[in-house]
């Protein structure tokens, strides 16, 4: 990737990627706390349109849903499917909502908004 981006854009991109990884970790922690039975996990993905001007346009966030393993399956393998793709800016908006929900959960001890 360093070879594909000019030095200044490369620096901005990797700084944005580092920020995104921290935010994804936060989203995964919040999701496991609030909805562990959903088995959803967020991951970063690149859109290889490196000629776009904004580093954030190269990043996409995908929400993966991991299927439960069949009873008795000891293989350690799980299957997953993508349930959402979000632009990085949309993911940050969703994370703000997740933070609000978590604050409500912490304050009240429950959250009724799931269903």
């Amino acid at each position: 990737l360093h070879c594909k981006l000019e030095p200044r854009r490369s620096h901005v991109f990797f700084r944005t990627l580092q920020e995104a990884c921290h935010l994804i970790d936060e989203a995964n922690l919040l999701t496991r706390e609030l909805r562990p039975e959903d088995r959803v996990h967020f991951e970063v993905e690149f859109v290889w349109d490196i000629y776009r001007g904004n580093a954030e346009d190269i990043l996409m966030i995908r929400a993966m849903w991991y299927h439960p393993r069949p009873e008795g399956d000891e293989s350690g393998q799980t299957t997953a499917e993508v349930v959402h793709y979000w632009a990085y800016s949309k993911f940050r908006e969703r994370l703000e909502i997740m933070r609000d929900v978590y604050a409500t959960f912490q304050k009240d001890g429950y959250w009724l908004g799931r269903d």
Side-chain angles (χ1 to χ4, degrees):
L1 193 57
H2 280 286
C3 300
K4 296 186 182 265
L5 295 170
E6 62 194 41
R8 188 186 83 54
R9 287 186 67 215
S10 177
H11 177 73
V12 170
F13 171 75
F14 283 106
R15 189 172 23 149
T16 304
L17 175 60
Q18 184 178 31
E19 173 188 271
C21 288
H22 290 296
L23 296 178
I24 289 168
D25 288 344
E26 179 184 359
N28 285 326
L29 287 171
L30 294 174
T31 301
R32 279 194 302 270
E33 178 79 18
L34 293 167
R35 299 174 71 157
E37 67 282 355
D38 287 353
R39 297 177 309 281
V40 172
H41 184 80
F42 297 97
E43 301 174 349
V44 68
E45 188 167 299
F46 304 124
V47 177
W48 290 106
D49 184 0
I50 63 168
Y51 301 107
R52 298 194 57 121
N54 187 348
E56 291 186 8
D57 292 342
I58 297 173
L59 298 179
M60 294 291 291
I61 310 303
R62 64 182 178 194
M64 304 291 294
W65 178 70
Y66 286 84
H67 299 268
R69 279 191 281 186
E71 202 169 308
D73 182 355
E74 300 296 325
S75 69
Q77 302 229 345
T78 58
T79 57
E81 64 184 89
V82 176
V83 291
H84 295 289
Y85 273 110
W86 292 327
Y88 182 51
S89 58
K90 181 67 166 183
F91 167 74
R92 286 195 324 258
E93 291 171 11
R94 295 290 185 151
L95 180 57
E96 284 301 318
I97 294 168
M98 293 168 76
R99 288 171 175 158
D100 291 342
V101 166
Y102 186 73
T104 299
F105 177 76
Q106 290 290 69
K107 182 178 136 268
D108 298 339
Y110 60 91
W111 173 56
L112 298 176
R114 179 186 166 158
D115 298 321

